[in-house]
């Protein structure tokens, strides 16, 4: 698989500042002893863009950030900022700002002293430091907090101070290492929009490391999905979610129904397949769009995925594929109902999500017969996974597997 990803046509949604710079990793590799942490990763980040490195523990995202920051150096390849090779430069010579997961604020200093620390280390004049600190306090919406101690702040306020300290020196690239990991769920969701607002207003080229799928999808111009030291897929959040490249991406970015299929025929634009349910029951024939990546290397057996929210119950539309099914399990999750179904030809354990407050939704009871339907283009042919699967996010059903909702309901 080609591990080179570029974004020459991508334009970040924020306004670019004059000093916005590109970030380029070219064929970067890194080993620690016998362990391969990164395997020939190439990535281009456009000026003013916010890119998230997303993946499970051990996928290489933190190593990538450390190579950008200068805390480690690549075994092969180069790191360029604004066209300058910085691969051998120490962190303080790269013009970066960084926000750590634990914020690393100085408890013996006031909020204002923390924010202005970088300018003091750079030898700026007191008047300039004071003026810049005031601007930062206004920017993070804490104008009256300059004399407070760090211990007097909430977690969200500390996070804003850490962000202000990172950007006061006008960095060429901002690095965010799990910046919201120390916050509770409600506060974390609010701070996602706060950080995104600041990044877009300032137009700073930014790279964020996270294992939180929602965080990456909410905040990013592009998402870089990584696994086993490799880049698996890069794209806008919606594109990566709607068109996962392989099973790993489909699983990691939310829930997916995945079906084994035998390829019967192909054209330039589509393939005809027959599903292969577990237990030897007859499959059904489907026509799927043929991804560009499979044009020249199409296996005889592939996997196909459809998201649970793409599946309608008792609400077929013209042109949609329809299947009879039966409700096996039901879980209410507040904003949605999760149904598990047995569907002849597709198998058991098929998930369908229905919005709880939609006027189109009518509740379904266990054992009820229903009609399941989805648009043909919502079932995606997947590439074979190139590397072994590691820790997975979300939930995947595979025809014939044990009940997914039974275990969820027990949690």
């Amino acid at each position: 698989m080609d591990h080179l990803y570029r974004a020459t046509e991508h334009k970040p949604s924020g306004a670019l500042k004059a000093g916005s710079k590109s970030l380029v990793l070219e064929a970067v590799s890194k080993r620690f002893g016998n362990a391969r942490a990164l395997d020939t990763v190439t990535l281009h980040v456009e000026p003013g863009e916010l890119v998230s490195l997303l993946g499970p523990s051990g996928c290489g995202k933190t190593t990538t950030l450390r190579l950008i920051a200068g805390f480690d150096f690549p075994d092969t390849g180069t790191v360029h900022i604004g066209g300058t090779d910085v691969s051998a430069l120490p962190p303080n010579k790269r013009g970066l700002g960084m926000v750590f997961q634990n914020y690393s604020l100085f408890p013996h200093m006031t909020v204002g002293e923390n924010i202005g620390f970088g300018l003091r280390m750079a030898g700026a004049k007191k008047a300039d430091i004071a003026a810049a600190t005031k601007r930062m306090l206004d920017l993070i919406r804490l104008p009256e907090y300059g004399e407070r101690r760090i211990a007097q702040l909430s977690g969200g306020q500390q996070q804003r101070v850490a962000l202000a300290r990172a950007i006061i020196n006008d960095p060429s690239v901002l690095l965010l290492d799990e910046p919201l990991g120390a916050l509770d769920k409600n506060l974390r969701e609010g701070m996602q929009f706060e950080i995104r607002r600041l990044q877009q207003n300032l137009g700073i080229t930014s790279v964020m490391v996270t294992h939180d799928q929602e965080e990456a999808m909410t905040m990013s111009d592009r998402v870089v999905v990584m696994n086993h030291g490799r880049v698996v897929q890069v794209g806008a959040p919606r594109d990566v979610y709607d068109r996962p490249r392989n099973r790993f991406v489909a699983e990691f970015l939310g829930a997916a129904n995945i079906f084994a299929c035998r390829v019967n025929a192909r054209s330039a634009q589509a393939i005809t397949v027959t599903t292969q349910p577990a237990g030897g029951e007859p499959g059904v024939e489907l026509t799927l769009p043929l991804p560009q990546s499979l044009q020249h290397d199409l296996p005889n057996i592939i996997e196909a995925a459809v998201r649970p929210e793409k599946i309608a119950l008792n609400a077929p539309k013209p042109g949609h594929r329809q299947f009879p099914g039966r409700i096996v399990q039901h879980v209410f999750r507040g904003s949605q109902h999760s149904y598990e179904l047995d569907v002849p030809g597709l198998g058991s354990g098929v998930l369908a999500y229905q919005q709880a407050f939609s006027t189109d939704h009518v509740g379904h009871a266990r054992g009820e017969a229903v009609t399941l339907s989805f648009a043909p283009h919502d079932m995606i042919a997947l590439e074979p996974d190139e590397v072994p699967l590691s820790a997975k996010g979300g939930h995947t059903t595979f025809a014939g597997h044990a009940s997914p909702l039974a275990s969820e309901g027990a949690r």
Side-chain angles (χ1 to χ4, degrees):
M1 184 188 296
D2 182 8
H3 297 292
L4 174 63
Y5 294 90
R6 302 177 186 271
T8 53
E9 297 181 358
H10 176 78
K11 297 186 182 299
S13 53
L16 294 183
K17 65 170 185 174
S20 294
K21 294 183 179 180
S22 63
L23 169 68
V24 178
L25 281 70
E26 289 283 1
V28 171
S29 298
K30 184 66 180 178
R31 282 183 176 272
F32 297 101
N34 293 326
R36 183 185 63 189
L38 283 183
D39 183 13
T40 321
V41 169
T42 293
L43 180 70
H44 290 203
V45 181
E46 296 299 312
E49 185 180 20
L50 192 157
V51 166
S52 289
L53 308 180
L54 176 67
S57 297
C59 71
K61 58 186 185 295
T62 298
T63 299
T64 302
L65 198 75
R66 290 180 62 84
L67 294 181
I68 297 170
F71 299 142
D72 288 316
F73 300 98
D75 297 332
T76 65
T78 57
V79 179
H80 291 77
I81 296 177
T84 300
D85 188 345
V86 300
S87 306
L89 294 182
N92 63 325
K93 300 295 184 180
R94 298 194 179 195
L96 305 173
M98 190 158 187
V99 178
F100 300 92
Q101 181 176 353
N102 62 1
Y103 311 143
S104 298
L105 298 172
F106 303 116
H108 62 285
M109 294 183 183
T110 65
V111 168
E113 289 169 342
N114 266 280
I115 292 174
F117 179 77
L119 290 180
R120 288 198 299 277
M121 292 297 98
K125 297 178 180 179
K126 286 186 177 181
D128 293 337
I129 295 173
T133 300
K134 183 180 184 302
R135 287 197 300 272
M136 288 295 107
L137 287 167
D138 290 339
L139 187 66
I140 63 173
R141 302 178 183 178
L142 296 175
E144 308 298 327
Y145 283 67
E147 298 304 317
R148 294 200 185 187
R149 295 289 176 179
I150 297 302
Q152 297 175 299
L153 304 183
S154 68
Q157 291 167 340
Q158 290 184 33
Q159 200 274 346
R160 290 192 228 174
V161 172
L163 186 60
R165 186 181 64 180
I167 63 180
I168 194 171
N169 286 57
D170 195 25
S172 54
V173 177
L174 177 65
L175 304 180
L176 303 156
D177 185 13
E178 300 276 6
L180 306 179
L183 303 179
D184 62 54
K185 177 177 173 58
N186 289 337
L187 186 55
R188 186 166 66 245
E189 290 177 352
M191 289 308 300
Q192 290 172 5
F193 294 101
E194 187 74 10
I195 291 178
R196 186 60 166 147
R197 177 187 67 83
L198 287 170
Q199 186 271 333
Q200 287 181 315
N201 289 345
L202 295 170
I204 300 177
T205 307
S206 303
V207 177
M208 180 176 71
V209 161
T210 182
H211 65 272
D212 187 298
Q213 298 94 327
E214 180 182 317
E215 192 169 287
M217 303 286 277
T218 299
M219 298 174 63
S220 309
D221 290 304
R222 283 189 302 150
V223 175
V224 179
V225 183
M226 301 184 69
N227 195 29
H228 289 287
R230 296 178 177 180
V231 172
V232 182
Q233 186 170 355
V234 180
R238 186 62 183 265
D239 292 339
V240 175
Y241 183 82
D242 284 345
R243 294 289 183 268
R245 188 166 192 170
N246 60 18
R247 180 182 182 127
F248 173 79
V249 178
E251 288 183 322
F252 197 79
L253 290 179
N257 295 293
I258 296 181
F259 308 99
C261 301
R262 184 184 70 249
V263 177
N264 301 327
R266 60 168 293 174
S267 67
Q269 303 294 329
I271 54 176
T272 302
V273 302
T274 299
T275 59
Q276 306 284 284
E281 68 175 277
V284 294
E285 190 171 86
L286 299 167
T287 298
L288 313 177
L290 179 61
Q292 182 72 27
S293 58
L294 291 178
Q295 290 279 352
H296 304 293
D297 189 16
L298 180 63
N300 292 326
I301 300 294
I302 67 166
E303 291 180 328
V306 60
R307 297 289 186 189
E309 64 271 20
K310 301 291 187 180
I311 294 176
L313 300 180
N314 291 346
K317 296 181 180 178
H320 285 203
R321 285 303 307 267
Q322 300 180 36
F323 306 89
R326 187 170 299 276
I327 303 294
V328 176
Q329 290 281 356
H330 168 235
V331 173
F332 175 62
R333 301 186 177 199
S335 62
Q336 69 183 19
H337 293 272
S338 297
Y339 294 100
E340 179 194 344
L341 302 99
D342 279 340
V343 183
L346 297 181
S348 61
V350 177
L351 286 183
Y353 293 165
Q354 309 289 291
Q355 292 298 310
F357 304 106
S358 169
T359 55
D360 295 332
H361 177 258
V362 177
H364 304 288
R366 288 183 61 180
E368 181 181 344
V370 295
T371 298
L372 174 151
S373 62
F374 54 84
H377 63 263
D378 284 333
M379 180 172 275
I380 308 302
L382 303 175
E383 291 181 14
D385 282 312
E386 190 177 55
V387 294
L389 300 188
S390 61
K392 301 167 186 174
H395 168 76
T396 296
T397 65
F398 202 165
H401 281 201
S403 167
L405 292 191
S407 59
E408 290 179 6
R411 286 200 288 265

